Structures are given as structure tokens and as C-alpha cells.
């Protein structure tokens, strides 16, 4: 490709709307353009990167026995009604009607579609296991589309679905996919971690997320520096903290004017936060829920949601607190309150002579002892893990990091096959539900995550495996015939030998071309200048390290290939 022809309009300024570096750099490098919130055109450079990621994905999926197919994006409502997800999916689903007023959606995922397909064609154990996958656009009307391709409303996903005879088969498929995912993200040149995760709306039990480690990541993860435990904080389990035993004092009320926060009440009473009970009230589709954790802890809303088994959960407004609970915002507590569901963390139950709101303005209870003074509906772990909490496996203090979820593997078991009656006949002629797994990779998100992890002040630094091109050739003086024709020859020769090269043949100053080359992030830059003409040397600069090499203009192909192989 000649840069004079390349459709990659670069921008000097950073667009104001772009908050994260991948979004900024993709706009600046002329890789993407926005059509609407969370909906983008992939320009030629971006599409080349996407195709390379897809090629790696296909090779690894095929390597594990996956077969590629392509299902419709437009899905009829009926199959979603069969599993009950038509109602559950909520506003995230893009819905539409045809001219006959029939309901459809734009596929946010394809469990219903694939299970319906397979149930009509697979009858016997002899046809299993099956691994079917596709790479296509998915549609989710995200509440907060943002960060460019990171959280789009239209995005590219690879989704594979496994169908096995039994749990053993599923475990096998799951492990194969886990392995393939590790290969894919390694081959893309990413630093990542597989973490234990929560099943979310797709359901199922065992699941891992593949996280690209980056400060801009929306997910918080914990990992143990000692054993190999790693989890999304949403999932991380915690053992109760046992506090030193104290004699139970009698419950008293104390005036605490204006102390609506844990900080202010502890300051006033001269106690530490681990002596207080934090009470949060939520509105859910299962009613009002009160959640109790120790004052220095946070509620893990995902754990809470799973325990209450509710679809929606949000912090209650003042009206709920006053009218439904008869309490006072800022002074809520579990003693003497009537709430249909009270969930307490076990550490709260182990607290002696604590402090909590007294449900009246400007007053708190002292010497609260959970086992004596109130009775939660449920006592279970609802605490959000924090840095330095003990590792659930080995008790060493955990560390935290931010991650971008680029892929997830789920064991679905028979959730969908039972709902959609996808059964087969086993060796003994007995009808059984197929045992399923599903495995997604955000292809477009992976491209963005790669940039989050591989950039510097000048632009993108592509890993060779997924770079849009490997080499850019820049003649210093476009008016110099000798430089131009030599550059053209190098360009032809590199491409002929399988190295993907672009030739910056534009009539621009070298500074402009170098800036664009760094912004777009080609792994190698070949400069053709006076030194090339006079001394037969081309200058080759490595984008990632800044190293400079001089190669003989008549003998550089293998050197360039070796260099690329080492990056
Ligand atoms: P998230 O928690 O980030 O919303 P998810 O758990 O809903 O993601 P999955 O249903 O597991 O996502 O989808 C598989 C993969 O698709 C994810 O691992 C992610 O890489 C990608 N993905 C999901 N939602 C988006 C989106 N809105 N934009 C881009 N990629 C996405
Ligand atoms: Mg997920």
C-alpha cells in the first residue's frame, strides 16, 4: 500500500470526546470513525488488525475441533421466549418488529439460536461432541457505551458453543477452550490473566474471564502473589473475620448529630470503622433489601444480587428508606427495623459491642451485638474483597489490579438444553439433555485492549502478530528520484517476500511522515536517505525499543525478517 492512497486520515489533536488512550489513538490514527454512540466504522487499518486477530482465533478454534458457521443477526422472539430471556434481557436488547408486527431482536448472544439449531439436527450420542463457532457483529444497547471500541453497542465477537454428552465431556471442552484462549491472547502479544468470575446474565456455573491487565480496565481483579488464585472482585470469596471476644454490654442510644457517614460517626465517638455496622438499602425486583457489612468493608452488589436472586438492584432512594422502612437516611440500622430481606455478612455477626444507626435522626446505637439484637434473614458472604485481604486459598494478602475483559468461558451445563429441549439418545437409547458450554471473545475489544497495553507518547506500538502492516518505508526527500525509486524497490521486494510493507510516497516533510508512522505504530520503520544512496545502507528503526540498525541495501530481507521474528 502506498500511503498517498491509504485511507487513514490522521489527526494531530486528541479528540475531546475520547477518554481512554485506545479510543484517542484509534481516532487519531484514522482507524475508526463514530457513526453513533458505541457504533463505529472500522477504517482499513483497523480492519486489517481485526482480520489478523480473527485469523489467530480461527486457527486456535479449529485446532480444538471447532467448526465455523454463521448464524443470523436477526433473531425471532419465540426462541428467547422459550428460555424466558426475552423478558429478562431488558433494555440491553435491541428489539424490532417486521411488517407483520412480529418481534425480533438483534442478537446480543446466540445461545438460543444455536441450541434451537442443534436440537433439530442432533439426535444421537454419535453426533457428539460438537463445537460450533462464528465471528460476527453482536448488538447490545449498553447503558453506558464508552471508551470507543471497548464498550460498543455494535461489536465483533467470536462465540463458540460446545455440546457434549455429559459433564466429563463438558469439562474436556472447557479445558480445551481455556487452553485455546490462553494461546490466542499470547499470540496477540498481550499480558493477560484468566480469573474466576461470576456467571452474570448468561448463567451457568464455572466460568473464567480473560483479563488484559491495564489501568483503564473496567474490571477490578484480585490475585494472590503466592498461589495461582486470581478472581474478578465480583466473584472473590471471603472467609469471615473472627474478632476477639468481648463481654456483651447493654444496648444504648447515643446522640450523634450530623453524622451521616461512617467517617463522621467514628470521629465523633472516637472508635475505628471496624467497630461499626454499615447498612445499605436496595430496591430490587424481590422487594427492599437491607445489606449489612462492617463499617470498613464494602458490599459486593453482584454477590448480593445472586443471593437475593433478583434481576434488578439499585441503591434505594430516601423515600423508600423513610416510607417503607420508617427509618432516616444516614442513620439506618438493623436493630428493630422491619425489612423483608436483611442480608448480613458473617463478619458483622462476629462483631462485639458495635455501633449502628438507630433509625431516628442524629442517633446511633452503641453496644450492638448482632446475635442478640437483630436477626438477619440471610447470613452469608456479601463483602467486596480489598487489597491485602487474605487469599481464599492460602491466606496470603491479595493484590488488586485493573483488567479489560477480552474473553470469557462458561460452563452452561443443561440450562439451555433443558429449557429448549435439546436432547440426544445415549448408548442405551435413553433421552438426555446435551451438556453445553459457551465461549466468547470480544474481537474488537481485543484490538482496543492491545492498544491500551501497547502505546507511548507518540502513538500505538503494535505487536507484530496483529500490526496492520509490519514495515513503513520513508524516503527522506520525495523529490529525490534515486531515493524514491529505491524506496519503491524495497517496498516491492518486502511485499514479494511476505513482509507487509507500506511506502510513504507522499510529498510531505520527513517529520510529518515520521509522526504518522509512530502514531499508526508500524513495528519497523525503514528510512531511505542520503546514507542509503551514498553508503548503500538503509536505516531500520524498531518502534517499540527505538533501536536503530543499518542494513546493506542489497541484503536486508533476512535481517528484517529476523528482526520481526524477535519482536
Ligand atoms: P461486560 O461484562 O464487559 O459487559 P459481558 O460479560 O457482558 O461483558 P460476554 O457476554 O461474556 O460479555 O461477551 C463475550 C465477550 O464479548 C466479552 O468477554 C467482551 O470481550 C466482549 N464484549 C461484551 N460486551 C461488549 C461491548 N459492549 N463492546 C465490546 N465488546 C464486548
Ligand atoms: Mg462476561
Amino acid at each position: 500500500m502506498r500511503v498517498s492512497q491509504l485511507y487513514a486520515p490522521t489527526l494531530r489533536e486528541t479528540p475531546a470526546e475520547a477518554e481512554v488512550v485506545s479510543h484517542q489513538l484509534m481516532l487519531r490514527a484514522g482507524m475508526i470513525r463514530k457513526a453513533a454512540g458505541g457504533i463505529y466504522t472500522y477504517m482499513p487499518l483497523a480492519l486489517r488488525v481485526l482480520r489478523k486477530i480473527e485469523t489467530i482465533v480461527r486457527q486456535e478454534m479449529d485446532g480444538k475441533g471447532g467448526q465455523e458457521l454463521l448464524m443470523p443477526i436477526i433473531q425471532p422472539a419465540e426462541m428467547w421466549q422459550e428460555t424466558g430471556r426475552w423478558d429478562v434481557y431488558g433494555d440491553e436488547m435491541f428489539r424490532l418488529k417486521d411488517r407483520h408486527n412480529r418481534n425480533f431482536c438483534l442478537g446480543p448472544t446466540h445461545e438460543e439460536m444455536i441450541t434451537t439449531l442443534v436440537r433439530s439436527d442432533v439426535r444421537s450420542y454419535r453426533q457428539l461432541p460438537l463445537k460450533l463457532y462464528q465471528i460476527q457483529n453482536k448488538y447490545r444497547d449498553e447503558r453506558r457505551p464508552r471508551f470507543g471500541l471497548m464498550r460498543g453497542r455494535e461489536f465483533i465477537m467470536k462465540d463458540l458453543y460446545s455440546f457434549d454428552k455429559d459433564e466429563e465431556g463438558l469439562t474436556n471442552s472447557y479445558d480445551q477452550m481455556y487452553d485455546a484462549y490462553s494461546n490466542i491472547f499470547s499470540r496477540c502479544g498481550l499480558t493477560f490473566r484468566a480469573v474466576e468470575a461470576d456467571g452474570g446474565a448468561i448463567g451457568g456455573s464455572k466460568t473464567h474471564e480473560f483479563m488484559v491487565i491495564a489501568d483503564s480496565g473496567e474490571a477490578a481483579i484480585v490475585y494472590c502473589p503466592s498461589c495461582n488464585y486470581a478472581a474478578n472482585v465480583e466473584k472473590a470469596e471471603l472467609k469471615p473475620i473472627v474478632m476477639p471476644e468481648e463481654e456483651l454490654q447493654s444496648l444504648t442510644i447515643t446522640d450523634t448529630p450530623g453524622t451521616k457517614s461512617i467517617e463522621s460517626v467514628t470521629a465523633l465517638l472516637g472508635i475505628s470503622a471496624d467497630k461499626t455496622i454499615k447498612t445499605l438499602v436496595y430496591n430490587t425486583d424481590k422487594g427492599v433489601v437491607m445489606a449489612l457489612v462492617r463499617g470498613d468493608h464494602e458490599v459486593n452488589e453482584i454477590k448480593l444480587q445472586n443471593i437475593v436472586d433478583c434481576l434488578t438492584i439499585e441503591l434505594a432512594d430516601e423515600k423508600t428508606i423513610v416510607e417503607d422502612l420508617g427509618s432516616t437516611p444516614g442513620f439506618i440500622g438493623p436493630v428493630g427495623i422491619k425489612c423483608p430481606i436483611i442480608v448480613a455478612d458473617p463478619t458483622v455477626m462476629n462483631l462485639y459491642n458495635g455501633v449502628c444507626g438507630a433509625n431516628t435522626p442524629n442517633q446511633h446505637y452503641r453496644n450492638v451485638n448482632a446475635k442478640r439484637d437483630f436477626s438477619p434473614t440471610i447470613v452469608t458472604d456479601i463483602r467486596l474483597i480489598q487489597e491485602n485481604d487474605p487469599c481464599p486459598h492460602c491466606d496470603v494478602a491479595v493484590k488488586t489490579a485493573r483488567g479489560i475483559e477480552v474473553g470469557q468461558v462458561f460452563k452452561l451445563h443443561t440450562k439451555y438444553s433443558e429449557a429448549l429441549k435439546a436432547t440426544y439418545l445415549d448408548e442405551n437409547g435413553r433421552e438426555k439433555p446435551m451438556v453445553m458450554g459457551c465461549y466468547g471473545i470480544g474481537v474488537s475489544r481485543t484490538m482496543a485492549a492491545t492498544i491500551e497495553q501497547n502505546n507511548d507518547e507518540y502513538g500505538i506500538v503494535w505487536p507484530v502478530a496483529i500490526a496492520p502492516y509490519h514495515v513503513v518505508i520513508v524516503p527522506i526527500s520525495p523529490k529525490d528520484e534515486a531515493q524514491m525509486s529505491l524506496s519503491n524497490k524495497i517496498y516491492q521486494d518486502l511485499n514479494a517476500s511476505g513482509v507487509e510493507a507500506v511506502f510513504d510516497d507522499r510529498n510531505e516533510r520527513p517529520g510529518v511522515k515520521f509522526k504518522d508512522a509512530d502514531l499508526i505504530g508500524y513495528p519497523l520503520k525503514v528510512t531511505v536517505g542520503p546514507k542509503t544512496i551514498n553508503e548503500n545502507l538503509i536505516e531500520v528503526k524498531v518502534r517499540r525499543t527505538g533501536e536503530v540498525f543499518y542494513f546493506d541495501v542489497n541484503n536486508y530481507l533476512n535481517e528484517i525478517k529476523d528482526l520481526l521474528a524477535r519482536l
Side-chain angles (χ1 to χ4, degrees), residues 140 142 149-152 155 157 405-408 442 445:
R140 294 183 186 177
E142 297 273 357
L149 300 189
M150 210 77 88
R151 184 164 295 284
F155 58 96
M157 197 202 284
E405 183 200 319
V406 286
Q408 187 159 17
R445 187 185 279 183

Side-chain angles (χ1 to χ4, degrees), residues 399-469:
K399 297 206 170 303
T400 53
R402 306 292 306 175
I404 301 167
E405 183 200 319
V406 286
Q408 187 159 17
V409 290
F410 288 97
K411 279 190 175 180
L412 295 171
H413 305 282
T414 54
K415 181 178 157 120
Y416 292 92
S417 50
E418 276 177 18
L420 293 162
K421 301 188 180 57
T423 59
Y424 71 98
L425 296 178
D426 74 5
E427 291 86 336
N428 303 313
R430 277 190 308 240
E431 190 174 358
K432 290 200 170 145
M434 297 177 207
V435 184
M436 292 174 56
C438 74
Y439 316 84
I441 288 183
V443 174
S444 43
R445 187 185 279 183
T446 298
M447 173 164 71
T450 305
I451 298 174
E452 290 294 327
Q453 226 177 42
N454 297 275
N455 69 80
D456 62 16
E457 57 189 308
Y458 306 110
I460 305 169
V461 183
W462 287 111
V464 174
I466 60 172
Y469 291 93

Side-chain angles (χ1 to χ4, degrees), residues 279-308:
T279 308
L280 293 174
V281 181
Y282 293 90
N283 275 320
T284 77
D285 53 295
K286 292 276 168 77
V288 179
V289 173
M290 198 177 228
L292 309 174
V293 290
R294 208 170 70 178
D296 55 333
H297 294 156
E298 302 296 332
V299 173
N300 182 333
E301 292 182 3
I302 302 287
K303 284 184 190 172
L304 185 64
Q305 185 170 13
N306 289 342
I307 285 144
V308 176

Side-chain angles (χ1 to χ4, degrees), residues 527-539:
T527 307
V528 175
K531 209 177 173 71
T532 321
I533 306 301
N534 302 332
E535 299 172 42
N536 276 342
L537 292 175
I538 54 167
E539 182 190 293

Side-chain angles (χ1 to χ4, degrees), residues 20-158:
V20 296
V21 71
S22 60
H23 189 193
Q24 294 168 353
L25 290 176
M26 275 191 277
L27 286 170
R28 284 190 50 209
M31 293 179 67
I32 58 167
R33 289 293 181 259
K34 178 169 147 184
I39 300 176
Y40 291 87
T41 294
Y42 306 114
M43 314 266 278
L45 289 175
L47 195 61
R48 288 182 69 91
V49 175
L50 291 168
R51 293 290 180 253
K52 290 189 178 183
I53 298 173
E54 289 172 8
T55 299
I56 293 173
V57 168
R58 284 194 172 92
Q59 287 169 351
E60 296 293 335
M61 292 298 106
D62 294 350
K64 301 294 185 196
Q67 300 177 60
E68 188 171 359
L69 45 57
L70 191 56
M71 290 180 274
I73 283 170
I74 298 186
Q75 307 189 10
E78 287 75 19
M79 49 180 71
W80 288 82
Q81 284 155 349
E82 265 189 77
T83 58
R85 285 211 293 177
W86 184 255
D87 299 320
V88 173
Y89 223 95
D91 291 340
E92 221 176 79
M93 185 183 261
F94 275 108
R95 296 162 202 258
L96 63 155
K97 286 182 191 294
D98 70 4
R99 64 172 73 209
H100 308 294
N101 217 26
R102 279 194 292 252
N103 285 311
F104 291 84
C105 68
L106 300 181
T109 179
H110 279 69
E111 284 81 10
E112 278 75 3
M113 181 67 80
I114 192 100
T115 312
T116 312
L117 177 84
V118 168
R119 79 173 170 197
S120 66
D121 287 310
V122 174
R123 298 254 170 271
S124 156
Y125 71 93
R126 287 189 201 89
Q127 293 164 281
L128 300 175
L130 260 184
K131 292 190 188 70
L132 302 170
Y133 76 95
Q134 60 175 352
I135 300 178
Q136 68 161 192
N137 279 350
K138 292 281 186 279
Y139 294 84
R140 294 183 186 177
D141 198 357
E142 297 273 357
R143 184 194 293 267
R144 287 189 71 194
R146 58 181 184 157
F147 300 161
L149 300 189
M150 210 77 88
R151 184 164 295 284
R153 295 195 295 165
E154 175 182 88
F155 58 96
I156 305 174
M157 197 202 284
K158 183 284 304 180

